[in-house]
Amino acid sequence: MNFRRYYIPGAAVFITQVVQHREPIFRNPEYLDLLKTILRNVKELHPFVMLGYVFLYDHFHLLIQPSGESNFSGIAGQIRRE
């Protein structure tokens, strides 16, 4: 089966990222602060509007609206690389 990603300019998207092996690393405030810094850095490279977020111990959810030439794949990929 071939799945396609559709990019709709200006559309809000929901992203979930899970920590490897579901380790509860965000229980540590320093790692949570690092995640927030990473999100700010990614926003500089791939502009987006943060509509909502939830940070849990082993994963997080983002509701974002990419802007400019950015798309959700680029944003999510950059978060994983940081």
Side-chain angles (χ1 to χ4, degrees):
M1 184 174 271
N2 187 10
F3 291 101
R4 293 184 170 272
R5 289 190 178 141
Y6 291 96
Y7 301 107
I8 301 170
V13 293
F14 184 76
I15 295 174
T16 299
Q17 296 271 289
V18 178
V19 175
Q20 186 175 13
H21 306 298
R22 297 195 75 101
E23 292 288 330
I25 65 169
F26 299 128
R27 184 175 294 191
N28 182 330
E30 291 177 15
Y31 290 131
L32 186 56
D33 288 342
L34 179 59
L35 172 61
K36 292 174 185 177
T37 298
I38 288 169
L39 290 171
R40 283 190 291 274
N41 292 343
V42 169
K43 190 173 181 179
E44 292 291 320
L45 296 171
H46 301 281
F48 62 89
V49 176
M50 180 75 71
L51 301 172
Y53 59 89
V54 176
F55 300 130
L56 299 160
Y57 292 148
D58 63 351
H59 69 284
F60 59 91
H61 304 282
L62 306 174
L63 182 60
I64 62 170
Q65 186 173 22
S67 56
E69 297 296 314
S70 295
N71 61 52
F72 64 88
S73 292
I75 294 166
Q78 190 67 42
I79 292 169
R80 285 190 300 271
R81 284 189 289 280
E82 289 286 321

